[in-house]
PDB file of all heavy atoms in Angstrom:
ATOM      1  N   GLU A  12       0.821  -1.177  -0.003  1.00  0.00           N
ATOM      2  CA  GLU A  12      -0.022   0.004   0.008  1.00  0.00           C
ATOM      3  C   GLU A  12       0.791   1.254   0.037  1.00  0.00           C
ATOM      4  O   GLU A  12       0.379   2.300  -0.489  1.00  0.00           O
ATOM      5  CB  GLU A  12      -0.963  -0.018   1.246  1.00  0.00           C
ATOM      6  CG  GLU A  12      -2.063  -1.043   1.105  1.00  0.00           C
ATOM      7  CD  GLU A  12      -3.229  -0.719   2.028  1.00  0.00           C
ATOM      8  OE1 GLU A  12      -3.150   0.270   2.678  1.00  0.00           O
ATOM      9  OE2 GLU A  12      -4.130  -1.599   2.042  1.00  0.00           O
ATOM     10  N   ILE A  13       2.018   1.206   0.533  1.00  0.00           N
ATOM     11  CA  ILE A  13       2.922   2.396   0.569  1.00  0.00           C
ATOM     12  C   ILE A  13       3.251   2.787  -0.899  1.00  0.00           C
ATOM     13  O   ILE A  13       3.195   3.961  -1.266  1.00  0.00           O
ATOM     14  CB  ILE A  13       4.180   2.113   1.384  1.00  0.00           C
ATOM     15  CG1 ILE A  13       3.785   1.953   2.880  1.00  0.00           C
ATOM     16  CG2 ILE A  13       5.158   3.290   1.232  1.00  0.00           C
ATOM     17  CD1 ILE A  13       4.943   1.593   3.735  1.00  0.00           C
ATOM     18  N   ILE A  14       3.583   1.730  -1.648  1.00  0.00           N
ATOM     19  CA  ILE A  14       3.991   1.981  -3.056  1.00  0.00           C
ATOM     20  C   ILE A  14       2.765   2.512  -3.821  1.00  0.00           C
ATOM     21  O   ILE A  14       2.857   3.429  -4.661  1.00  0.00           O
ATOM     22  CB  ILE A  14       4.525   0.691  -3.723  1.00  0.00           C
ATOM     23  CG1 ILE A  14       5.852   0.334  -3.033  1.00  0.00           C
ATOM     24  CG2 ILE A  14       4.704   0.856  -5.187  1.00  0.00           C
ATOM     25  CD1 ILE A  14       6.475  -0.968  -3.536  1.00  0.00           C
ATOM     26  N   LEU A  15       1.628   1.873  -3.680  1.00  0.00           N
ATOM     27  CA  LEU A  15       0.415   2.283  -4.367  1.00  0.00           C
ATOM     28  C   LEU A  15      -0.064   3.667  -4.006  1.00  0.00           C
ATOM     29  O   LEU A  15      -0.476   4.463  -4.917  1.00  0.00           O
ATOM     30  CB  LEU A  15      -0.742   1.260  -4.051  1.00  0.00           C
ATOM     31  CG  LEU A  15      -0.440  -0.167  -4.542  1.00  0.00           C
ATOM     32  CD1 LEU A  15      -1.615  -1.083  -4.205  1.00  0.00           C
ATOM     33  CD2 LEU A  15      -0.169  -0.247  -6.055  1.00  0.00           C
ATOM     34  N   HIS A  16       0.062   4.019  -2.750  1.00  0.00           N
ATOM     35  CA  HIS A  16      -0.354   5.384  -2.365  1.00  0.00           C
ATOM     36  C   HIS A  16       0.678   6.406  -2.847  1.00  0.00           C
ATOM     37  O   HIS A  16       0.308   7.580  -3.308  1.00  0.00           O
ATOM     38  CB  HIS A  16      -0.436   5.516  -0.831  1.00  0.00           C
ATOM     39  CG  HIS A  16      -1.747   4.874  -0.344  1.00  0.00           C
ATOM     40  ND1 HIS A  16      -1.725   3.704   0.442  1.00  0.00           N
ATOM     41  CD2 HIS A  16      -3.040   5.262  -0.434  1.00  0.00           C
ATOM     42  CE1 HIS A  16      -2.987   3.367   0.767  1.00  0.00           C
ATOM     43  NE2 HIS A  16      -3.823   4.369   0.210  1.00  0.00           N
ATOM     44  N   ALA A  17       1.978   6.076  -2.847  1.00  0.00           N
ATOM     45  CA  ALA A  17       3.045   6.981  -3.352  1.00  0.00           C
ATOM     46  C   ALA A  17       2.843   7.233  -4.814  1.00  0.00           C
ATOM     47  O   ALA A  17       3.132   8.298  -5.286  1.00  0.00           O
ATOM     48  CB  ALA A  17       4.351   6.324  -3.023  1.00  0.00           C
ATOM     49  N   TYR A  18       2.273   6.202  -5.562  1.00  0.00           N
ATOM     50  CA  TYR A  18       2.077   6.407  -7.003  1.00  0.00           C
ATOM     51  C   TYR A  18       1.106   7.585  -7.200  1.00  0.00           C
ATOM     52  O   TYR A  18       1.448   8.480  -8.053  1.00  0.00           O
ATOM     53  CB  TYR A  18       1.418   5.122  -7.513  1.00  0.00           C
ATOM     54  CG  TYR A  18       1.145   5.173  -9.025  1.00  0.00           C
ATOM     55  CD1 TYR A  18       2.090   4.664  -9.947  1.00  0.00           C
ATOM     56  CD2 TYR A  18      -0.006   5.709  -9.517  1.00  0.00           C
ATOM     57  CE1 TYR A  18       1.802   4.682 -11.319  1.00  0.00           C
ATOM     58  CE2 TYR A  18      -0.342   5.732 -10.863  1.00  0.00           C
ATOM     59  CZ  TYR A  18       0.648   5.295 -11.772  1.00  0.00           C
ATOM     60  OH  TYR A  18       0.327   5.303 -13.076  1.00  0.00           O
ATOM     61  N   TRP A  19       0.053   7.628  -6.509  1.00  0.00           N
ATOM     62  CA  TRP A  19      -0.943   8.750  -6.714  1.00  0.00           C
ATOM     63  C   TRP A  19      -0.491  10.032  -6.088  1.00  0.00           C
ATOM     64  O   TRP A  19      -0.872  11.073  -6.491  1.00  0.00           O
ATOM     65  CB  TRP A  19      -2.324   8.312  -6.152  1.00  0.00           C
ATOM     66  CG  TRP A  19      -2.936   7.233  -6.953  1.00  0.00           C
ATOM     67  CD1 TRP A  19      -3.166   5.950  -6.599  1.00  0.00           C
ATOM     68  CD2 TRP A  19      -3.322   7.296  -8.358  1.00  0.00           C
ATOM     69  NE1 TRP A  19      -3.690   5.183  -7.585  1.00  0.00           N
ATOM     70  CE2 TRP A  19      -3.767   6.009  -8.719  1.00  0.00           C
ATOM     71  CE3 TRP A  19      -3.280   8.322  -9.300  1.00  0.00           C
ATOM     72  CZ2 TRP A  19      -4.245   5.718  -9.980  1.00  0.00           C
ATOM     73  CZ3 TRP A  19      -3.736   8.002 -10.612  1.00  0.00           C
ATOM     74  CH2 TRP A  19      -4.188   6.746 -10.964  1.00  0.00           C
ATOM     75  N   LEU A  20       0.345   9.930  -5.061  1.00  0.00           N
ATOM     76  CA  LEU A  20       0.833  11.164  -4.327  1.00  0.00           C
ATOM     77  C   LEU A  20       1.655  12.016  -5.329  1.00  0.00           C
ATOM     78  O   LEU A  20       1.524  13.233  -5.299  1.00  0.00           O
ATOM     79  CB  LEU A  20       1.697  10.750  -3.114  1.00  0.00           C
ATOM     80  CG  LEU A  20       2.281  11.975  -2.337  1.00  0.00           C
ATOM     81  CD1 LEU A  20       1.178  12.755  -1.787  1.00  0.00           C
ATOM     82  CD2 LEU A  20       3.215  11.390  -1.274  1.00  0.00           C
ATOM     83  N   GLY A  21       2.418  11.348  -6.204  1.00  0.00           N
ATOM     84  CA  GLY A  21       3.214  12.137  -7.146  1.00  0.00           C
ATOM     85  C   GLY A  21       2.341  12.919  -8.073  1.00  0.00           C
ATOM     86  O   GLY A  21       2.554  14.114  -8.406  1.00  0.00           O
ATOM     87  N   ASP A  22       1.225  12.274  -8.575  1.00  0.00           N
ATOM     88  CA  ASP A  22       0.276  12.949  -9.474  1.00  0.00           C
ATOM     89  C   ASP A  22      -0.414  14.090  -8.728  1.00  0.00           C
ATOM     90  O   ASP A  22      -0.624  15.214  -9.316  1.00  0.00           O
ATOM     91  CB  ASP A  22      -0.789  11.947  -9.937  1.00  0.00           C
ATOM     92  CG  ASP A  22      -0.241  11.084 -11.068  1.00  0.00           C
ATOM     93  OD1 ASP A  22       0.839  11.371 -11.526  1.00  0.00           O
ATOM     94  OD2 ASP A  22      -0.901  10.101 -11.431  1.00  0.00           O
ATOM     95  N   ILE A  23      -0.757  13.885  -7.473  1.00  0.00           N
ATOM     96  CA  ILE A  23      -1.468  14.967  -6.677  1.00  0.00           C
ATOM     97  C   ILE A  23      -0.558  16.191  -6.507  1.00  0.00           C
ATOM     98  O   ILE A  23      -0.970  17.296  -6.657  1.00  0.00           O
ATOM     99  CB  ILE A  23      -1.918  14.350  -5.298  1.00  0.00           C
ATOM    100  CG1 ILE A  23      -3.038  13.279  -5.554  1.00  0.00           C
ATOM    101  CG2 ILE A  23      -2.415  15.507  -4.435  1.00  0.00           C
ATOM    102  CD1 ILE A  23      -3.387  12.560  -4.270  1.00  0.00           C
ATOM    103  N   LEU A  24       0.691  15.920  -6.109  1.00  0.00           N
ATOM    104  CA  LEU A  24       1.677  16.983  -5.948  1.00  0.00           C
ATOM    105  C   LEU A  24       1.874  17.760  -7.312  1.00  0.00           C
ATOM    106  O   LEU A  24       1.978  19.011  -7.229  1.00  0.00           O
ATOM    107  CB  LEU A  24       2.989  16.473  -5.475  1.00  0.00           C
ATOM    108  CG  LEU A  24       3.031  15.898  -4.052  1.00  0.00           C
ATOM    109  CD1 LEU A  24       4.384  15.276  -3.721  1.00  0.00           C
ATOM    110  CD2 LEU A  24       2.752  17.052  -3.091  1.00  0.00           C
ATOM    111  N   LEU A  25       1.814  17.095  -8.385  1.00  0.00           N
ATOM    112  CA  LEU A  25       2.012  17.734  -9.640  1.00  0.00           C
ATOM    113  C   LEU A  25       0.811  18.586  -9.995  1.00  0.00           C
ATOM    114  O   LEU A  25       0.965  19.785 -10.428  1.00  0.00           O
ATOM    115  CB  LEU A  25       2.161  16.682 -10.763  1.00  0.00           C
ATOM    116  CG  LEU A  25       2.613  17.140 -12.104  1.00  0.00           C
ATOM    117  CD1 LEU A  25       3.953  17.903 -12.051  1.00  0.00           C
ATOM    118  CD2 LEU A  25       2.749  15.989 -13.150  1.00  0.00           C
ATOM    119  N   VAL A  26      -0.389  18.181  -9.749  1.00  0.00           N
ATOM    120  CA  VAL A  26      -1.578  18.954 -10.025  1.00  0.00           C
ATOM    121  C   VAL A  26      -1.609  20.169  -9.081  1.00  0.00           C
ATOM    122  O   VAL A  26      -1.900  21.262  -9.528  1.00  0.00           O
ATOM    123  CB  VAL A  26      -2.852  18.079  -9.788  1.00  0.00           C
ATOM    124  CG1 VAL A  26      -4.111  18.888  -9.764  1.00  0.00           C
ATOM    125  CG2 VAL A  26      -2.933  17.013 -10.848  1.00  0.00           C
ATOM    126  N   VAL A  27      -1.309  19.939  -7.815  1.00  0.00           N
ATOM    127  CA  VAL A  27      -1.261  21.058  -6.854  1.00  0.00           C
ATOM    128  C   VAL A  27      -0.232  22.109  -7.261  1.00  0.00           C
ATOM    129  O   VAL A  27      -0.454  23.350  -7.187  1.00  0.00           O
ATOM    130  CB  VAL A  27      -0.909  20.546  -5.404  1.00  0.00           C
ATOM    131  CG1 VAL A  27      -0.652  21.745  -4.453  1.00  0.00           C
ATOM    132  CG2 VAL A  27      -2.085  19.708  -4.924  1.00  0.00           C
ATOM    133  N   GLY A  28       0.916  21.641  -7.764  1.00  0.00           N
ATOM    134  CA  GLY A  28       1.952  22.543  -8.225  1.00  0.00           C
ATOM    135  C   GLY A  28       1.451  23.397  -9.433  1.00  0.00           C
ATOM    136  O   GLY A  28       1.735  24.591  -9.438  1.00  0.00           O
ATOM    137  N   PHE A  29       0.764  22.820 -10.352  1.00  0.00           N
ATOM    138  CA  PHE A  29       0.268  23.540 -11.460  1.00  0.00           C
ATOM    139  C   PHE A  29      -0.858  24.576 -11.053  1.00  0.00           C
ATOM    140  O   PHE A  29      -0.942  25.677 -11.571  1.00  0.00           O
ATOM    141  CB  PHE A  29      -0.291  22.628 -12.557  1.00  0.00           C
ATOM    142  CG  PHE A  29       0.800  22.153 -13.457  1.00  0.00           C
ATOM    143  CD1 PHE A  29       1.265  20.826 -13.460  1.00  0.00           C
ATOM    144  CD2 PHE A  29       1.364  23.020 -14.417  1.00  0.00           C
ATOM    145  CE1 PHE A  29       2.245  20.391 -14.343  1.00  0.00           C
ATOM    146  CE2 PHE A  29       2.388  22.639 -15.281  1.00  0.00           C
ATOM    147  CZ  PHE A  29       2.858  21.304 -15.200  1.00  0.00           C
ATOM    148  N   ILE A  30      -1.708  24.119 -10.151  1.00  0.00           N
ATOM    149  CA  ILE A  30      -2.719  25.080  -9.617  1.00  0.00           C
ATOM    150  C   ILE A  30      -2.090  26.265  -8.954  1.00  0.00           C
ATOM    151  O   ILE A  30      -2.460  27.417  -9.140  1.00  0.00           O
ATOM    152  CB  ILE A  30      -3.651  24.338  -8.632  1.00  0.00           C
ATOM    153  CG1 ILE A  30      -4.472  23.310  -9.399  1.00  0.00           C
ATOM    154  CG2 ILE A  30      -4.555  25.306  -7.925  1.00  0.00           C
ATOM    155  CD1 ILE A  30      -5.316  22.435  -8.459  1.00  0.00           C
ATOM    156  N   TYR A  31      -1.026  25.976  -8.196  1.00  0.00           N
ATOM    157  CA  TYR A  31      -0.275  27.086  -7.485  1.00  0.00           C
ATOM    158  C   TYR A  31       0.380  28.008  -8.508  1.00  0.00           C
ATOM    159  O   TYR A  31       0.369  29.216  -8.402  1.00  0.00           O
ATOM    160  CB  TYR A  31       0.766  26.461  -6.539  1.00  0.00           C
ATOM    161  CG  TYR A  31       1.611  27.454  -5.789  1.00  0.00           C
ATOM    162  CD1 TYR A  31       1.048  28.411  -4.965  1.00  0.00           C
ATOM    163  CD2 TYR A  31       2.938  27.528  -5.950  1.00  0.00           C
ATOM    164  CE1 TYR A  31       1.775  29.327  -4.298  1.00  0.00           C
ATOM    165  CE2 TYR A  31       3.801  28.431  -5.279  1.00  0.00           C
ATOM    166  CZ  TYR A  31       3.165  29.289  -4.418  1.00  0.00           C
ATOM    167  OH  TYR A  31       3.917  30.278  -3.772  1.00  0.00           O
ATOM    168  N   LEU A  32       0.954  27.384  -9.591  1.00  0.00           N
ATOM    169  CA  LEU A  32       1.574  28.190 -10.612  1.00  0.00           C
ATOM    170  C   LEU A  32       0.626  29.079 -11.300  1.00  0.00           C
ATOM    171  O   LEU A  32       0.833  30.272 -11.601  1.00  0.00           O
ATOM    172  CB  LEU A  32       2.275  27.255 -11.659  1.00  0.00           C
ATOM    173  CG  LEU A  32       2.902  27.942 -12.849  1.00  0.00           C
ATOM    174  CD1 LEU A  32       4.022  28.889 -12.389  1.00  0.00           C
ATOM    175  CD2 LEU A  32       3.417  26.912 -13.849  1.00  0.00           C
ATOM    176  N   ILE A  33      -0.580  28.575 -11.645  1.00  0.00           N
ATOM    177  CA  ILE A  33      -1.655  29.329 -12.260  1.00  0.00           C
ATOM    178  C   ILE A  33      -2.006  30.496 -11.370  1.00  0.00           C
ATOM    179  O   ILE A  33      -2.205  31.618 -11.892  1.00  0.00           O
ATOM    180  CB  ILE A  33      -2.880  28.485 -12.590  1.00  0.00           C
ATOM    181  CG1 ILE A  33      -2.579  27.463 -13.635  1.00  0.00           C
ATOM    182  CG2 ILE A  33      -4.083  29.349 -13.008  1.00  0.00           C
ATOM    183  CD1 ILE A  33      -3.577  26.367 -13.861  1.00  0.00           C
ATOM    184  N   GLY A  34      -2.060  30.301 -10.063  1.00  0.00           N
ATOM    185  CA  GLY A  34      -2.387  31.415  -9.163  1.00  0.00           C
ATOM    186  C   GLY A  34      -1.329  32.503  -9.219  1.00  0.00           C
ATOM    187  O   GLY A  34      -1.618  33.687  -9.192  1.00  0.00           O
ATOM    188  N   LEU A  35      -0.088  32.061  -9.191  1.00  0.00           N
ATOM    189  CA  LEU A  35       1.040  33.023  -9.304  1.00  0.00           C
ATOM    190  C   LEU A  35       1.065  33.794 -10.601  1.00  0.00           C
ATOM    191  O   LEU A  35       1.277  35.005 -10.650  1.00  0.00           O
ATOM    192  CB  LEU A  35       2.376  32.300  -9.146  1.00  0.00           C
ATOM    193  CG  LEU A  35       2.674  31.691  -7.690  1.00  0.00           C
ATOM    194  CD1 LEU A  35       3.986  30.993  -7.742  1.00  0.00           C
ATOM    195  CD2 LEU A  35       2.689  32.847  -6.636  1.00  0.00           C
ATOM    196  N   ARG A  36       0.764  33.107 -11.681  1.00  0.00           N
ATOM    197  CA  ARG A  36       0.737  33.789 -13.001  1.00  0.00           C
ATOM    198  C   ARG A  36      -0.453  34.741 -13.086  1.00  0.00           C
ATOM    199  O   ARG A  36      -0.350  35.799 -13.709  1.00  0.00           O
ATOM    200  CB  ARG A  36       0.611  32.762 -14.134  1.00  0.00           C
ATOM    201  CG  ARG A  36       1.679  31.662 -14.140  1.00  0.00           C
ATOM    202  CD  ARG A  36       2.922  31.852 -14.864  1.00  0.00           C
ATOM    203  NE  ARG A  36       3.027  32.469 -16.095  1.00  0.00           N
ATOM    204  CZ  ARG A  36       3.521  31.934 -17.177  1.00  0.00           C
ATOM    205  NH1 ARG A  36       3.842  30.682 -17.181  1.00  0.00           N
ATOM    206  NH2 ARG A  36       3.745  32.658 -18.242  1.00  0.00           N
ATOM    207  N   SER A  37      -1.563  34.432 -12.432  1.00  0.00           N
ATOM    208  CA  SER A  37      -2.646  35.379 -12.371  1.00  0.00           C
ATOM    209  C   SER A  37      -2.272  36.635 -11.604  1.00  0.00           C
ATOM    210  O   SER A  37      -2.772  37.736 -11.908  1.00  0.00           O
ATOM    211  CB  SER A  37      -3.872  34.716 -11.652  1.00  0.00           C
ATOM    212  OG  SER A  37      -4.301  33.619 -12.406  1.00  0.00           O
ATOM    213  N   ALA A  38      -1.359  36.497 -10.648  1.00  0.00           N
ATOM    214  CA  ALA A  38      -0.865  37.728  -9.907  1.00  0.00           C
ATOM    215  C   ALA A  38       0.394  38.311 -10.606  1.00  0.00           C
ATOM    216  O   ALA A  38       1.120  39.070 -10.029  1.00  0.00           O
ATOM    217  CB  ALA A  38      -0.466  37.238  -8.476  1.00  0.00           C
ATOM    218  N   LYS A  39       0.556  37.827 -11.868  1.00  0.00           N
ATOM    219  CA  LYS A  39       1.606  38.414 -12.716  1.00  0.00           C
ATOM    220  C   LYS A  39       3.002  38.131 -12.167  1.00  0.00           C
ATOM    221  O   LYS A  39       3.899  38.968 -12.222  1.00  0.00           O
ATOM    222  CB  LYS A  39       1.441  39.880 -12.993  1.00  0.00           C
ATOM    223  CG  LYS A  39       0.168  40.145 -13.776  1.00  0.00           C
ATOM    224  CD  LYS A  39       0.003  41.618 -14.136  1.00  0.00           C
ATOM    225  CE  LYS A  39      -1.235  41.907 -15.013  1.00  0.00           C
ATOM    226  NZ  LYS A  39      -1.381  43.284 -15.434  1.00  0.00           N
ATOM    227  N   GLN A  40       3.121  36.951 -11.611  1.00  0.00           N
ATOM    228  CA  GLN A  40       4.456  36.446 -11.125  1.00  0.00           C
ATOM    229  C   GLN A  40       4.848  35.250 -12.002  1.00  0.00           C
ATOM    230  O   GLN A  40       3.978  34.492 -12.430  1.00  0.00           O
ATOM    231  CB  GLN A  40       4.425  36.064  -9.651  1.00  0.00           C
ATOM    232  CG  GLN A  40       4.077  37.230  -8.723  1.00  0.00           C
ATOM    233  CD  GLN A  40       4.082  36.771  -7.278  1.00  0.00           C
ATOM    234  OE1 GLN A  40       5.013  36.098  -6.789  1.00  0.00           O
ATOM    235  NE2 GLN A  40       3.045  37.097  -6.531  1.00  0.00           N
ATOM    236  N   SER A  41       6.082  35.084 -12.257  1.00  0.00           N
ATOM    237  CA  SER A  41       6.570  33.964 -13.057  1.00  0.00           C
ATOM    238  C   SER A  41       7.832  33.358 -12.436  1.00  0.00           C
ATOM    239  O   SER A  41       8.969  33.680 -12.721  1.00  0.00           O
ATOM    240  CB  SER A  41       6.975  34.507 -14.469  1.00  0.00           C
ATOM    241  OG  SER A  41       7.343  33.417 -15.292  1.00  0.00           O
ATOM    242  N   PRO A  42       7.585  32.442 -11.451  1.00  0.00           N
ATOM    243  CA  PRO A  42       8.690  31.795 -10.680  1.00  0.00           C
ATOM    244  C   PRO A  42       9.435  30.840 -11.525  1.00  0.00           C
ATOM    245  O   PRO A  42       8.954  29.718 -11.777  1.00  0.00           O
ATOM    246  CB  PRO A  42       7.976  31.148  -9.495  1.00  0.00           C
ATOM    247  CG  PRO A  42       6.609  30.850  -9.992  1.00  0.00           C
ATOM    248  CD  PRO A  42       6.253  31.946 -11.013  1.00  0.00           C
ATOM    249  N   ALA A  43      10.632  31.145 -11.950  1.00  0.00           N
ATOM    250  CA  ALA A  43      11.349  30.336 -12.868  1.00  0.00           C
ATOM    251  C   ALA A  43      11.715  28.943 -12.354  1.00  0.00           C
ATOM    252  O   ALA A  43      11.585  27.918 -13.053  1.00  0.00           O
ATOM    253  CB  ALA A  43      12.664  31.014 -13.392  1.00  0.00           C
ATOM    254  N   ASN A  44      12.128  28.905 -11.059  1.00  0.00           N
ATOM    255  CA  ASN A  44      12.467  27.653 -10.407  1.00  0.00           C
ATOM    256  C   ASN A  44      11.289  26.670 -10.339  1.00  0.00           C
ATOM    257  O   ASN A  44      11.454  25.449 -10.604  1.00  0.00           O
ATOM    258  CB  ASN A  44      13.057  27.828  -9.089  1.00  0.00           C
ATOM    259  CG  ASN A  44      14.490  28.407  -9.165  1.00  0.00           C
ATOM    260  OD1 ASN A  44      15.203  28.221 -10.153  1.00  0.00           O
ATOM    261  ND2 ASN A  44      14.895  29.165  -8.072  1.00  0.00           N
ATOM    262  N   LEU A  45      10.129  27.209 -10.005  1.00  0.00           N
ATOM    263  CA  LEU A  45       8.922  26.402  -9.957  1.00  0.00           C
ATOM    264  C   LEU A  45       8.522  25.830 -11.294  1.00  0.00           C
ATOM    265  O   LEU A  45       8.231  24.637 -11.432  1.00  0.00           O
ATOM    266  CB  LEU A  45       7.776  27.148  -9.349  1.00  0.00           C
ATOM    267  CG  LEU A  45       6.400  26.433  -9.287  1.00  0.00           C
ATOM    268  CD1 LEU A  45       6.537  25.220  -8.404  1.00  0.00           C
ATOM    269  CD2 LEU A  45       5.293  27.355  -8.774  1.00  0.00           C
ATOM    270  N   ILE A  46       8.662  26.670 -12.333  1.00  0.00           N
ATOM    271  CA  ILE A  46       8.311  26.168 -13.691  1.00  0.00           C
ATOM    272  C   ILE A  46       9.321  25.079 -14.116  1.00  0.00           C
ATOM    273  O   ILE A  46       8.905  24.068 -14.670  1.00  0.00           O
ATOM    274  CB  ILE A  46       8.405  27.385 -14.648  1.00  0.00           C
ATOM    275  CG1 ILE A  46       7.309  28.371 -14.412  1.00  0.00           C
ATOM    276  CG2 ILE A  46       8.272  26.887 -16.116  1.00  0.00           C
ATOM    277  CD1 ILE A  46       7.364  29.693 -15.144  1.00  0.00           C
ATOM    278  N   THR A  47      10.576  25.276 -13.749  1.00  0.00           N
ATOM    279  CA  THR A  47      11.626  24.291 -14.141  1.00  0.00           C
ATOM    280  C   THR A  47      11.320  22.956 -13.492  1.00  0.00           C
ATOM    281  O   THR A  47      11.383  21.882 -14.143  1.00  0.00           O
ATOM    282  CB  THR A  47      12.993  24.783 -13.693  1.00  0.00           C
ATOM    283  OG1 THR A  47      13.312  25.943 -14.491  1.00  0.00           O
ATOM    284  CG2 THR A  47      14.018  23.745 -13.940  1.00  0.00           C
TER     285      THR A  47
END
């Protein structure tokens, strides 16, 4: 179960990261390190 849960955790973190990035871009910020 640790492996199976970790599988989806990676996807969830990626989605959260993109949502956060969209919020920053809406505020006219462009964090290069986050994008990378």
Side-chain angles (χ1 to χ4, degrees):
E12 291 199 5
I13 295 177
I14 294 175
L15 298 179
H16 283 111
Y18 181 94
W19 292 114
L20 180 61
D22 284 349
I23 292 169
L24 290 174
L25 191 57
V26 171
V27 170
F29 273 108
I30 292 173
Y31 180 60
L32 176 63
I33 291 169
L35 290 177
R36 305 270 322 238
S37 298
K39 296 186 177 180
Q40 298 181 48
S41 185
N44 286 335
L45 177 60
I46 294 171
T47 295

